[in-house]
Amino acid sequence: GAGVSQSPSNKVTEKGKDVELRCDPISGHTALYWYRQSLGQGLEFLIYFQGNSAPDKSGLPSDRFSAERTGGSVSTLTIQRTQQEDSAVYLCATSVIAGGNQDLFTDTQYFGPGTRLTVL
Amino acid sequence: AQKITQTQPGMFVQEKEAVTLDCTYDTSDQSYGLFWYKQPSSGEMIFLIYQGSYDEQNATEGRYSLNFQKARKSANLVISASQLGDSAMYFCAMSSSGAGSYQLTFGKGTKLSVIP
């Protein structure tokens, strides 16, 4: 079946502009994560969505970063007033989150191809 | 808080040989999952193998096996019969019941190069 898709694959923008990055999850996957991968910081968690629950925004680096997930499916990560330090690859991952008593830490996250953001 | 340490920034292995990529972790949680991902130069993170903290048997998936030593808090990845296509970055990651939203904590990665 189709995997996680992200768009655009590459985005070049000027400092101070706003950007939107999109993630389409695997059908049926209820949990969605955004991560950032940069040379200096490695892979960092940004935000987590699960069903209708309030998102976990604990990883967002500043209030310039926000994300939403419409209808429990597609997610958009928005960066306002971009800075050069925002340059990185932004990765989206989804997992199925089985119900019942399954331990949630066992769920495998499947990643999209990422969006490479370059801020000039 | 969780922490993953991968001490080998780069590794070389001869084609058809086996290679072990090291991973140690630190957590105060009793329940957790350990994952290995492969990231080729194309950039996509590819899931390889999973080991749960309660699993008594080491996980295996084809040519990949996970050498899980709970007391030592290590979860090394063993790749048998290396192939040229195995050249990539490899990341060890952890998810735990104490991490709230079960986000993955990643190590810095190991770059594996397979020599013909």
Side-chain angles (χ1 to χ4, degrees):
Chain A
V4 179
S5 59
Q6 293 186 245
S7 60
S9 54
N10 280 285
K11 177 72 177 178
V12 179
T13 190
E14 294 179 348
K15 177 181 172 181
K17 301 283 190 182
D18 298 351
V19 295
E20 283 190 354
L21 313 179
R22 177 187 169 106
C23 172
D24 284 86
I26 294 172
S27 177
H29 280 200
T30 58
L32 187 147
Y33 301 78
W34 283 96
Y35 294 87
R36 179 170 70 174
Q37 185 174 25
S38 57
L39 281 175
Q41 301 298 323
L43 278 145
E44 307 170 276
F45 163 74
L46 296 177
I47 189 169
Y48 162 73
F49 296 92
Q50 163 56 13
N52 295 321
S53 302
D56 176 356
K57 304 179 183 179
S58 60
L60 295 179
S62 78
D63 58 9
R64 296 186 295 104
F65 288 72
S66 63
E68 62 178 23
R69 189 177 184 191
T70 53
S73 182
V74 171
S75 178
T76 302
L77 177 69
T78 301
I79 309 173
Q80 296 178 309
R81 304 181 303 281
T82 52
Q83 304 294 312
Q84 288 182 333
E85 61 262 29
D86 299 335
S87 295
V89 176
Y90 289 83
L91 293 163
C92 175
T94 69
S95 67
V96 67
I97 299 286
N101 294 323
Q102 173 153 333
D103 295 319
L104 299 184
F105 60 82
T106 68
D107 281 329
T108 296
Q109 295 180 30
Y110 295 92
F111 284 78
T115 294
R116 180 174 298 276
L117 175 67
T118 303
V119 182
L120 301 176
Chain B
Q2 296 82 34
K3 184 177 180 182
I4 297 284
T5 302
Q6 295 181 255
T7 56
Q8 306 152 317
M11 289 279 287
F12 290 89
V13 64
Q14 203 76 36
E15 193 178 7
K16 300 180 186 177
E17 297 293 312
V19 63
T20 298
L21 306 184
D22 294 341
C23 171
T24 58
Y25 59 92
D26 190 19
T27 182
S28 56
D29 296 319
Q30 296 301 309
S31 303
Y32 50 88
L34 296 157
F35 302 81
W36 278 91
Y37 286 85
K38 172 184 178 180
Q39 188 176 41
S41 56
S42 60
E44 188 160 358
M45 296 285 282
I46 302 167
F47 166 70
L48 296 178
I49 195 166
Y50 161 81
Q51 178 85 40
S53 58
Y54 295 134
D55 296 338
E56 295 184 353
Q57 302 266 355
N58 285 341
T60 60
E61 289 286 349
R63 294 186 299 110
Y64 305 107
S65 60
L66 201 152
N67 183 1
F68 180 47
Q69 297 186 45
K70 192 170 182 177
R72 295 181 60 188
K73 293 189 174 179
S74 74
N76 298 341
L77 177 70
V78 181
I79 305 174
S80 63
S82 296
Q83 302 172 356
L84 295 177
D86 293 335
S87 294
M89 284 290 292
Y90 288 80
F91 291 93
C92 181
M94 161 185 278
S95 175
S96 73
S97 55
S101 58
Y102 307 98
Q103 68 265 29
L104 292 171
T105 300
F106 287 87
K108 297 292 187 186
T110 295
K111 183 175 182 179
L112 178 66
S113 299
V114 180
I115 304 166

